[in-house]
Amino acid sequence: MSVAAIATNPTAEFRAGGTDFSERRRSGVSQATPIDILESGDKTITWDADGAVQIGALTTIATIATDARTAAAYPGIAASAQGLATPQVRHVATLGGNLAQRSRCWYFRRADIDCLKKGGATCPARSGNHLYGVVFDLAECVAPHPSTMAAALLAYDARITTDRRRGLTIADLLGDGSIVRSDHALTEGEMIKSIALPAPLEGERASYKRAISRTYAEWPLVELCARVVIADGKFQLVRLAAGGVAPVPLRLTAVEAELSGKIANAPSIAEAAKLSGSGAKPLPMTVYKLDLLQGLVRDVLERLSS
Ligand SMILES: Cc1cc2nc3c(=O)[nH]c(=O)nc-3n(C[C@H](O)[C@H](O)[C@H](O)COP(=O)(O)OP(=O)(O)OC[C@H]3O[C@@H](n4cnc5c(N)ncnc54)[C@H](O)[C@@H]3O)c2cc1C
């Protein structure tokens, strides 16, 4: 089926690397007709004279993880790509597919269980087992957004171009979590074409870390991409984007604001990290994520400021 056909076929779905879509088809969660975009899509990484970059949506996660210039300019992006899934998955999974992948909630992934994302009336995880669920309970569905790259791109103020719109922020692309039937705010048949990152700031450093229930090949319980600029021993910029905690990746704005202009040392980081759960609404089984989040904030910022 051609790419244009998706406009007239509501049961069709793009397939890029297929690591998410094909698994949903195999398990019966999706009956959609695949429209292959891998071969025809943009896989290029293009640098502007000022150091900004555009990454084609069909670029693989492995390419982003291993491209030397990307790692030098955007270490948080490269480390996030390097940290997700397995070498085999990274080799075929694409950046666009990563952003548009569907929920990992185990109720959603069971074909025989109804949930809000599949047209059901309730969220079975809310009354059932939500151990891996959100700790910022901001929407009806309690699944955290699954995309590691979305959190990293949020930290870098990325802009997304689709075949219909330009200049979308990660918040524009994913919505606020209230669109329960989907995991993003793309319109029917809208295709992500490329992702743009502004030029790195003078002297900025970045890092990524995840807390995970096994050593690899699993989505994180909590993950954090952090950027800092430190001058004269003080934080000039702190940018923290967390995944695994909310229906969409979240900026930890209370911590960012607390650290602005503060001395970049362990005591001020420890004090500010206490604010990492500001606005959280834990579920009965997800309180533990607040400790993980606070620990990641301390760990990543201490490393970046040492
Ligand atoms: C063991 C394992 C561990 C994993 N761990 C992580 C993890 O820690 N973090 C993480 O983020 N992911 C993780 N993943 C998921 C993996 O990263 C995604 O499945 C992958 O990135 C999806 O990319 P894809 O190209 O294969 O997408 P596909 O499976 O081809 O597509 C996924 C969805 O995106 C849509 N889509 C694809 N491309 C576009 C486009 N250009 N425009 C609009 N819609 C599009 C498709 O229609 C489909 O609905 C893991 C996967 C496995 C198997």
Side-chain angles (χ1 to χ4, degrees):
M1 189 177 280
S2 73
V3 170
I6 200 163
T8 54
N9 186 342
T11 65
E13 197 171 323
F14 295 130
R15 178 168 58 190
T19 57
D20 164 41
F21 175 61
S22 299
E23 192 265 323
R24 279 186 282 115
R25 281 189 90 222
R26 266 196 307 278
S27 63
V29 169
S30 171
Q31 280 85 40
T33 307
I35 297 191
D36 284 307
I37 57 173
L38 189 59
E39 294 312 319
S40 57
D42 183 359
K43 305 179 183 70
T44 59
I45 300 181
T46 312
W47 295 88
D48 294 346
D50 69 352
V53 73
Q54 281 88 46
I55 305 175
L58 277 294
T59 306
T60 65
I61 300 297
T63 301
I64 296 165
T66 55
D67 181 71
R69 190 165 175 188
T70 305
Y74 305 103
I77 298 286
S80 299
Q82 183 68 50
L84 75 81
T86 63
Q88 292 86 346
V89 172
R90 292 196 292 272
H91 187 68
V92 285
T94 65
L95 182 55
N98 186 274
L99 295 174
Q101 67 178 296
R102 299 303 317 268
S103 171
R104 294 311 305 180
C105 175
W106 41 52
Y107 295 100
F108 173 76
R109 293 272 159 179
R110 282 276 303 263
D112 58 339
I113 297 180
D114 250 0
C115 79
L116 292 168
K117 289 193 189 294
K118 293 184 288 190
T122 57
C123 171
R126 183 175 287 283
S127 51
N129 187 334
H130 50 253
L131 187 63
Y132 291 176
V134 296
V135 65
F136 290 77
D137 182 16
L138 308 174
E140 282 184 87
C141 164
V142 299
H145 199 277
S147 173
T148 293
M149 297 313 295
L153 293 172
L154 178 67
Y156 278 90
D157 296 322
R159 296 286 169 155
I160 293 102
T161 298
T162 74
D163 57 349
R164 298 176 195 168
R165 294 180 285 169
R166 299 182 70 81
L168 300 182
T169 61
I170 287 293
D172 295 331
L173 179 74
L174 301 183
D176 60 3
S178 59
I179 315 168
V180 287
R181 298 280 184 266
S182 184
D183 294 286
H184 53 68
L186 291 168
T187 55
E188 201 70 53
E190 183 173 11
M191 192 196 296
I192 303 168
K193 301 293 269 187
S194 64
I195 292 87
L197 297 170
L201 302 169
E202 182 75 29
E204 80 165 80
R205 303 174 68 192
S207 188
Y208 166 82
K209 195 159 184 189
R210 55 173 48 196
I212 186 168
S213 61
R214 57 181 182 185
T215 47
Y216 81 120
E218 183 59 287
W219 281 258
L221 300 167
V222 179
E223 60 191 332
L224 183 75
C225 184
R227 291 168 66 205
V228 299
V229 176
I230 299 171
D232 300 326
K234 293 181 179 165
F235 285 113
Q236 306 298 313
L237 172 119
V238 179
R239 191 56 69 81
L240 302 169
V245 294
V248 288
L250 279 191
R251 286 264 306 276
L252 305 181
T253 50
V255 183
E256 293 173 0
E258 175 66 20
L259 282 175
S260 176
K262 292 273 164 58
I263 295 174
N265 63 13
S268 52
I269 292 168
E271 200 51 37
K274 292 179 187 161
L275 301 174
S276 53
S278 296
K281 293 183 190 167
L283 300 165
M285 294 181 187
T286 62
V287 181
Y288 74 97
K289 287 195 173 190
L290 291 176
D291 283 343
L292 293 179
L293 183 60
Q294 186 171 333
L296 284 185
V297 168
R298 282 185 68 167
D299 189 37
V300 167
L301 288 177
E302 282 179 16
R303 280 163 195 259
L304 285 173
S305 53
S306 64

